[in-house]
Amino acid sequence: MANYNPEEIEPKWQNYWRENKFYHAKDPAEAGEAEKFFALVEFPYPSGEGLHVGHCRSYSAMDAIVRKRRMEGWNVLYPIGWDAFGLPAENFAIKTGIHPSVSTQKNIDNFKRQLKRLGLSFDWEREINTTDPKYYKWTQWIFLQLFKKDMAYQSKVPVNWCPKCLIGLANEEVIGGKCERCGEQVVRKELKQWMFRITRYADRLIEDLEKLDYLEKIKIQQKEWIGRSEGTEAVFKIDGTEESLKIFTTRIDTIFGVTALVLAPEHNLVSILENNISNLEEVKKYIEKVREKTEFERVNLEKERTGIKLEGVWAVNPISGDKIEIWLGDYVIGSYGGGAVMMVPAHDRRDYDFAQKYGLAIKEVVKGGEISKEAFTDYGVLTNSEGFSGMASKEAIEKLQELLKEKEMGGISIQYKLRDWIFSRQHYWGEPIPIIHCEKCGVVPVPEEQLPVELPFVEKYQPTKTGESPLAAIDEWVNVKCPKCGGPAKRETDTMPNWAGSNWYYMRYCDPQNDQTLGSLEKLKYWLPVDWYNGGMEHTTLHLLYSRFIYKFLFDIGVAPSLEPYQKRTSQGMVLSYDGQKMSKSRGNVINPDDIIKEYGADTLRVYELFMGPFDQAISWNIQGVKGVRRFLDKVYNLVLERLPNEESGKQAQRLIHQLNRRVSQNIETMKFNTAISGFMEFINFAADNKEEIGREVLERMILLLSPFAPHLAEELWQKTGSRESVFQQKWPIFDPALAQEQKINLIIQVNGKMRDKIEADPEISEEEAKAAALASPKVQNWLNNKEPKKIIFVKGRLINIVI
RNA sequence: GCGGGCGUGGCGAAAUUGGCAAACGCGCAGGACUUAGGAUCCUGUGGGUCUCCCUUGCGGGUUCAACUCCCGCCGCCCGCACCA
């Protein structure tokens, strides 16, 4: 028996496919009638560790989908590239002195070799690299457009500062108070940063989700992250001054229960009212103490809320006119809802605790709870609320909003958890921000014709201790003439974060060589939006949300051709190591795809990763499972070689192959790869027991069906059928319902809903016949025990149930 | 605390969406070939008091029929988390 030898056949067919350009995506001019299909997978960060088996899972899955789609006649774009700016390359440079571009290129070469060895059907003609100046020219161009539309601005903000990486982090990059990359405790530091006004797009980012085919949990997570909240704004005048204070609440119906206002410690009212606050010294000390704590520490000291009363100042309740105290409290978040809340101890848990700790009054204004014991936070009927007493909460909210509006003291207000996006990094290995600071003209954008602003070559990559980027140390790069006035000016030395290049990379695939625009409108219009985007859940609130925002902005300025970038989004489950842990160098449990390919072949690796479990679920690596898949492929190979000369196929084999055809076609589209593959195994098991049934026609169909999963093996076997064409030049087989139809079924006979017997029957068997057959069964007779059936349920083609 | 998901053999899981629970794979046991087996092939494999009964985290309900739908618990995983 001949031997299936992937090490020999896989490279052979990879070369053949490359030479024949089977994966070439046709631009609109050459596409003809074919419908386009843009399939996207997240482009990898080319780390020194090489390709992760998790990459393989996502890429193999999408590869199966696009291979099928091509065979169905779609014009498929399945591209790949490199998200190559980032901290590890820079850290590596600091350690070794090797320039990031050098190590990055080396890593890319390695990744590329690995991806090609997997036989993935990427169109390599469209490969992109975010660190290529020809690419990041357009990343910078997008920044300039944002700047011109006042969507990018500078602001001194407290940033999450990682003392180890010496870098400012976005909120999203801080996990549990620690730096996402190095795990160091993050501290607060005030830095002037570039910001994007993503908050202006908050509503659209929520609303437009409706039109998209994303997994529901992705939509929910994005909505939650944006955190839209409808409530009321109310203005409290500061007694005896011209000053006032805006607060945000979702429970304006409790306004008669307000016993104080509480401000975030960083609220600017303190400095405004300095002269009125009699305990200023103490207050300042308190603010200082809180400032030292990071937001994370503040959050985690939940049980120990602290605060201080501002002595000598009073606020006036805009509805009741009552004079109330003003406090600072560390439980109030400075960046949300104006950093001020009205404290209603009776109807808010936090306020209740705070009031108890500091002896503030607790006044019940909504009936229904026992406020001597705990806060009552439900809606209810108002009490102790002057004219509003007896009114339901919801109604009171509406009335009070109207009243505040009339008095010009507030009204309906909408708040978001989403903050503007900090877009500066104090690092070398990123896209330079194309801005020049002129002493006379201020902030001046680099003229578009001067793009790209190339990263200069440096000797030292160390971040400076001051928080400036290493670029700040290169005088000849920093010092430039102002493009406006020609006077002395300095370049912006901050670079862009990791997300900058990945925000829009999929657009570049549509027209990767264009040096006039980011992409020609014709090509963008043709390919976009992406039809199907698969990637990791961990990117839901980072990359996925931000790239939607950037795309919407580009749509607004006429560059992007649609409202949304990705029509469909799915996610693969994580591939864990054999110990159920995340793979990591330090744990020493990393599975290297090279090793698997070497020992078992790329097809085995691909099929295993799709067979190992439901695609969207995290799953542990199991080398025994890999071996099982290899055994299966061996069986396929040997069966085809043995039975191919046989012209005739049996009826049952035909039926099974058409059933398999139906199942595989469906399962690929719904990403139920594991059951598709088990279907092949069932068929192979049948074939092994019924060899005489298996002939050429059935085998050819099986090879076609298998080709998206095990492309090399399928090609090898297809060529053995005598075909002079590639398996991927064939049409995707359509199953014949008539042939797939079972000729005989097992009719289940139940008595009282329990299976007692089964008989072979025609699928079209009538109720009468089924009943007769059922009652004729000795087993049924035994169970009937001479009793009369009360009722008979007949499900055509399936079962008959006799109820007694 | 809030939001989402999940719970089926020794393990990964499947179940045509309410109709034979455990397909397929792994593991395990026995056998064949073999100097050898950690290669390959064959047979068996949910449990029991085994013609029958029990079994999909636990308890209840709807139904002729429930892994699937409803109610109440328990447990696990993921995301967010003092968002007023």
Side-chain angles (χ1 to χ4, degrees), chain A residues 123-142:
Chain A
D123 182 356
W124 287 99
E125 291 167 45
R126 293 173 188 255
E127 176 184 356
I128 57 166
N129 177 347
T130 56
T131 65
D132 180 349
K134 286 192 221 113
Y135 178 91
Y136 68 67
K137 172 180 179 177
W138 299 106
T139 310
Q140 292 174 334
W141 182 84
I142 292 171

Side-chain angles (χ1 to χ4, degrees), chain A residues 602-660:
Chain A
D603 281 339
T604 297
L605 175 60
R606 296 170 55 130
V607 172
Y608 170 65
E609 291 216 23
L610 297 181
F611 178 63
M612 65 197 299
F615 182 66
D616 57 357
Q617 235 170 73
I619 201 144
S620 300
W621 192 264
N622 178 1
I623 194 65
Q624 296 299 338
V626 178
K627 289 180 186 171
V629 167
R630 174 58 198 261
R631 266 199 288 272
F632 158 67
L633 295 181
D634 277 327
K635 282 186 206 164
V636 171
Y637 183 83
N638 289 318
L639 176 79
V640 173
L641 292 201
E642 187 187 335
R643 298 306 300 172
L644 207 49
N646 185 36
E647 289 294 330
E648 294 291 310
S649 301
K651 276 264 159 52
Q652 208 184 344
Q654 291 215 14
R655 186 158 56 246
L656 289 174
I657 201 71
H658 279 271
Q659 288 174 355
L660 182 65

Side-chain angles (χ1 to χ4, degrees), chain A residues 722-739:
Chain A
S723 172
R724 306 188 62 178
E725 286 184 323
S726 164
V727 67
F728 297 108
Q729 285 169 296
Q730 310 310 307
K731 283 215 168 71
W732 182 253
I734 311 280
F735 83 96
D736 182 337
L739 287 176

Side-chain angles (χ1 to χ4, degrees), chain A residues 443-506:
Chain A
V443 177
V444 181
V446 172
E448 285 180 21
E449 60 275 13
Q450 286 177 25
L451 295 181
V453 177
E454 287 204 34
L455 254 183
F457 212 84
V458 298
E459 303 289 319
K460 284 176 123 185
Y461 309 97
Q462 273 76 4
T464 60
K465 299 220 164 78
T466 59
E468 274 187 306
S469 148
L471 291 173
I474 312 171
D475 291 340
E476 62 275 22
W477 184 79
V478 170
N479 294 309
V480 287
K481 281 183 186 160
C482 170
K484 241 189 198 167
C485 71
K490 284 182 187 295
R491 282 195 192 280
E492 170 66 57
T493 59
D494 278 0
T495 52
M496 301 188 200
N498 234 180
W499 322 112
S502 58
N503 272 332
W504 68 283
Y505 74 109
Y506 56 93

